[in-house]
Amino acid sequence: MASIPVIVKHQGTKYEVEVDPESTGEIFKFQLFSLTGVEPERQKVLLKGVLKDETPMSKFALKPGQTIMMLGTPSSEGKDLVRPSEKVKFVEDMTEAEAAQQEGAIPAGLANLGNTCYLNSTLQTLRAIPELQDALSKYEPPSQSSTGTLPQLDLTRQLRDTYKQMSETQEAHVPHAFLTSLRNLYPQFAERSRTGAGYAQQDAEEAWSQILSQVRQKLRVKDSTDATSDPSFIEKYMSGEFTSELVCDEPAALEGGEQPIASKDAFLKLNCHIDATTNHLRDGIVNGLKEQLEKRSEVLGRDATYTKTSKISRLPKYLTVHFVRFFWKRETQKKAKIMRKVTFPHELDVVEFCDDNLKKLLIPVRDKVREVRKEEEDVERARKRRKRNGDNGDDVPEASNPKKKDDKKEASASADGDVEMGETYKTDAEIDAERAAQVLAMKKELNALIDPDLAKDDGANQSGLYELRGVVTHQGASADSGHYTAYVKKTAPVDTKTGKRKEEDGKWWWFNDDKVSEVTADKIETLAGGGESHSALILLYKAIPLPTAEGTME
């Protein structure tokens, strides 16, 4: 049946409306809502009486051009509705750079320029550090006249430009300029292949270390506690400190009066040394914190064996862990690979590797973090249990754990006139509000436990706990062959209305050169090694976030 054009008059304004005779009064009211902003429940349509939602419009035998009166005003909520300040733009109308910034966009891959997967995986993992992205965007290279360095050889500048270009596309980026700069600075990466044409495969860990070395020299950041200071980005966010003690293994040296030698050394990575007893990352880190070396003993008058034992005295916000899987094999003249399976956690607790002073600061915070998490898990379990049992109403007591309202009694009269005292219970909403307030108070207590001096160091870890954010993997039997890829945990998108990050979905991006795909966290569990398949070579951990003084998460 054809629609009928009518005129609706509301507050002195006339609206032309097409009415479908087969529709109902409710649909007609929604048409008027879209024109006037008056919600259907607040409308009074005068049409042979007041129009009801369920009334079919065919009942009124409307004629073309007929005038209908409508009364009603928008609610306060309706008055708050305003036209968007920015015009809605659809993806097909966006530029390539705008589309790459949208929620759900697939990040750019990197083209393989001939055995450059070692570099691609390194660049993708380092890109997972948002503070590095921010610092690079502000980096202004010094003039050539002051440094004598050609702009194209400034590796930090090339890193800045590479990441900027990657952020503006979903297509594979060709990192030719960065690779040229790297090979000019470090000729080892320009080594030609011995087995055929083109360049040789390289070690991703060596590329990682050399890139950080260059960035360490060039990229400075402002110190939030000292306006006159501009520390290196790497030293602030990615560099830790060892407190070490060197002791001669021979008793004669100690008996002769030789004293242990104490020292402090910066480190950019923790090494996980793998031997026949190493099964877990912790075992390998313990191995890496103790080493033997030979040096001259002045007391003995000859070379002697010394043991150097290290403890961590500063933890960086971003911790790099290196699986020492490659060693020089004399027979083959190649870097052979240790295939042993070594598991690693998604959350790493490094408190046991710290010196006593740092432990005292970290342990109370770490333990409180676990206490808060347990409380949050208990609250969530109780909520799910009530939902599963159907007890999710505001006026239904919690069946599994009824709580009396401060021992208050409610009086009621029985049949014989006696007054009975009945028990009343807290509603689910009241229980949830109390538990939420309790969790908030615990988070405030957690923030108060952070040592003031440690809190000032925003580039340090303040709890001793880390979450895994990136993994560089290697597939093959030696460092000079095989294939490197990277896994990077997806970050939660920012809510455009609140400016806060949403919850993460726990999934990861797998960067295999120019191919980018999404994988679940289960895939990370398969990267422990045990053969020539993909095994973790570098892990990038980030300090877990801690609540502010108000108990909120940043």
Side-chain angles (χ1 to χ4, degrees):
M1 190 178 294
S3 61
I4 303 170
V6 298
I7 296 173
V8 176
K9 193 173 182 181
H10 175 250
Q11 293 185 345
T13 304
K14 295 180 179 180
Y15 300 93
E16 294 182 0
V17 183
E18 294 284 336
V19 180
D20 181 358
E22 296 182 357
S23 65
T24 62
E26 182 180 27
I27 294 176
F28 183 58
K29 286 182 179 182
F30 272 105
Q31 286 179 278
L32 300 182
F33 173 49
S34 67
L35 295 170
T36 65
V38 180
E39 295 89 338
E41 64 272 14
R42 296 177 63 86
Q43 294 176 16
K44 196 170 186 180
V45 181
L46 305 180
L47 195 62
K48 293 183 182 179
V50 178
L51 177 65
K52 295 182 179 180
D53 289 350
E54 66 276 8
T55 306
M57 296 303 293
S58 58
K59 176 182 177 181
F60 302 106
L62 296 173
K63 298 178 181 179
Q66 181 175 336
T67 300
I68 301 171
M69 293 292 294
M70 188 193 98
L71 306 176
T73 57
S75 66
S76 58
E77 290 82 2
K79 291 179 181 178
D80 293 336
L81 295 175
V82 295
R83 186 181 296 276
S85 57
E86 296 182 10
K87 185 179 179 181
V88 176
K89 183 178 284 189
F90 296 97
V91 174
E92 52 267 29
D93 299 324
M94 294 179 182
T95 65
E96 185 179 6
E98 289 173 332
Q101 301 291 333
Q102 298 305 302
E103 182 177 335
I106 298 174
L110 288 167
N112 192 319
L113 301 177
N115 281 336
T116 58
C117 55
Y118 70 92
L119 176 63
N120 293 346
S121 56
T122 297
L123 290 175
Q124 292 286 15
T125 307
L126 286 173
R127 194 176 174 223
I129 304 175
E131 293 87 347
L132 177 60
Q133 300 272 357
D134 183 58
L136 283 170
S137 68
K138 301 171 184 175
Y139 174 68
E140 290 297 335
S143 63
Q144 181 180 342
S145 59
S146 63
T147 63
T149 303
L150 294 172
Q152 58 267 33
L153 296 184
D154 185 340
L155 198 67
T156 304
R157 173 180 175 167
Q158 295 299 335
L159 185 63
R160 177 199 68 183
D161 295 346
T162 297
Y163 284 160
K164 182 177 185 298
Q165 291 156 10
M166 290 174 69
S167 70
E168 296 173 347
T169 183
Q170 294 184 76
E171 302 296 324
H173 175 68
V174 182
H176 191 271
F178 185 89
L179 182 61
T180 301
S181 179
L182 180 70
R183 285 173 173 168
N184 274 288
L185 285 167
Y186 302 104
Q188 70 192 77
F189 297 108
E191 180 186 351
R192 309 295 295 189
S193 175
R194 299 176 185 175
T195 58
Y199 291 95
Q201 179 67 281
Q202 299 291 336
D203 187 343
E205 189 278 325
E206 291 180 3
W208 180 288
S209 297
Q210 301 294 25
I211 292 171
L212 260 57
S213 175
Q214 283 293 308
V215 175
R216 187 180 193 177
Q217 296 174 38
K218 300 287 184 67
L219 190 61
R220 322 296 295 185
V221 290
K222 294 295 182 183
D223 193 322
S224 58
T225 60
D226 185 358
T228 62
S229 175
D230 60 339
S232 160
F233 174 89
I234 300 300
E235 290 174 358
K236 180 175 181 177
Y237 288 102
M238 301 186 73
S239 177
E241 183 184 71
F242 282 137
T243 297
S244 305
E245 188 176 68
L246 187 65
V247 180
C248 184
D249 291 350
E250 297 188 33
L254 298 177
E255 293 167 2
E258 183 169 306
Q259 296 298 313
I261 302 171
S263 63
K264 287 186 179 293
D265 307 290
F267 70 88
L268 295 180
K269 63 185 177 183
L270 286 183
N271 284 324
C272 174
H273 287 279
I274 303 172
D275 59 25
T277 63
T278 307
N279 296 310
H280 189 268
L281 178 62
R282 178 198 171 276
D283 307 328
I285 292 177
V286 169
N287 292 341
L289 293 175
K290 185 172 288 189
E291 60 177 321
Q292 287 190 322
L293 53 91
E294 281 196 7
K295 66 181 289 289
R296 180 174 174 79
S297 169
E298 296 301 330
V299 171
L300 299 178
R302 56 177 172 80
D303 287 348
T305 303
Y306 285 75
T307 297
K308 184 178 183 180
T309 304
S310 299
K311 294 285 187 180
I312 300 172
S313 50
R314 182 190 186 265
L315 286 168
K317 184 171 184 177
Y318 290 91
L319 179 68
T320 301
V321 179
H322 171 221
F323 287 95
V324 186
R325 288 193 175 274
F326 300 129
F327 67 98
W328 186 254
K329 197 169 185 179
R330 192 175 302 171
E331 297 82 12
T332 60
Q333 293 292 295
K334 285 184 178 180
K335 281 185 178 179
K337 183 178 178 181
I338 300 172
M339 305 290 189
R340 186 175 181 82
K341 181 179 180 179
V342 181
T343 60
F344 55 90
H346 282 267
E347 182 171 278
L348 178 65
D349 181 354
V350 296
V351 171
E352 66 170 301
F353 310 127
C354 299
D355 66 13
D356 291 340
N357 291 332
L358 187 54
K359 277 183 180 178
K360 290 177 184 177
L361 304 181
L362 298 178
I363 288 176
V365 180
R366 179 200 63 183
D367 292 349
K368 193 67 177 180
V369 166
R370 290 172 174 168
E371 188 181 333
V372 171
R373 284 178 178 173
K374 184 179 183 302
E375 182 66 21
E376 289 179 322
E377 289 169 1
D378 289 345
V379 171
E380 183 62 16
R381 273 198 298 269
R383 187 191 66 78
K384 288 181 177 178
R385 184 169 58 247
R386 291 198 305 272
K387 186 175 181 180
R388 188 170 57 248
N389 294 336
D391 297 331
N392 54 2
D394 283 344
D395 55 353
V396 182
E398 184 180 27
S400 61
N401 186 24
K403 296 184 179 180
K404 300 174 185 177
K405 275 193 178 179
D406 300 325
D407 296 322
K408 291 181 181 178
K409 302 291 182 177
E410 185 179 82
S412 61
S414 64
D416 57 6
D418 293 333
V419 176
E420 296 180 352
M421 302 303 291
E423 295 179 349
T424 60
Y425 297 88
K426 293 180 180 177
T427 66
D428 290 346
E430 291 174 323
I431 293 171
D432 287 344
E434 283 186 3
R435 297 293 289 271
Q438 183 178 347
V439 170
L440 181 63
M442 292 174 69
K443 287 182 176 179
K444 291 179 180 179
E445 292 172 12
L446 169 56
N447 179 270
L449 289 172
I450 302 172
D451 179 78
D453 291 333
L454 198 58
K456 292 177 184 176
D457 187 357
D458 57 354
N461 184 316
Q462 299 161 352
S463 68
L465 297 174
Y466 285 95
E467 57 178 341
L468 187 63
R469 302 304 303 187
V471 185
V472 175
T473 69
H474 178 265
Q475 178 186 37
S478 75
D480 303 326
S481 61
H483 184 57
Y484 292 92
T485 67
Y487 291 82
V488 174
K489 193 170 187 181
K490 292 175 62 180
T491 55
V494 176
D495 190 315
T496 55
K497 294 182 179 179
T498 64
K500 296 181 179 180
R501 287 202 176 273
K502 302 177 183 179
E503 286 191 15
E504 294 186 343
D505 61 10
K507 294 182 179 179
W508 292 65
W509 292 118
W510 180 28
F511 295 97
N512 185 3
D513 288 331
D514 57 334
K515 301 178 185 66
V516 182
S517 53
E518 189 181 75
V519 298
T520 61
D522 296 342
K523 180 64 178 177
I524 309 302
E525 310 293 340
T526 68
L527 305 176
E532 292 190 18
S533 61
H534 282 287
S535 55
L537 181 69
I538 299 172
L539 304 177
L540 179 65
Y541 282 99
K542 178 184 180 180
I544 65 164
L546 297 176
T548 64
E550 291 75 33
T552 58
M553 303 300 289
E554 293 182 342

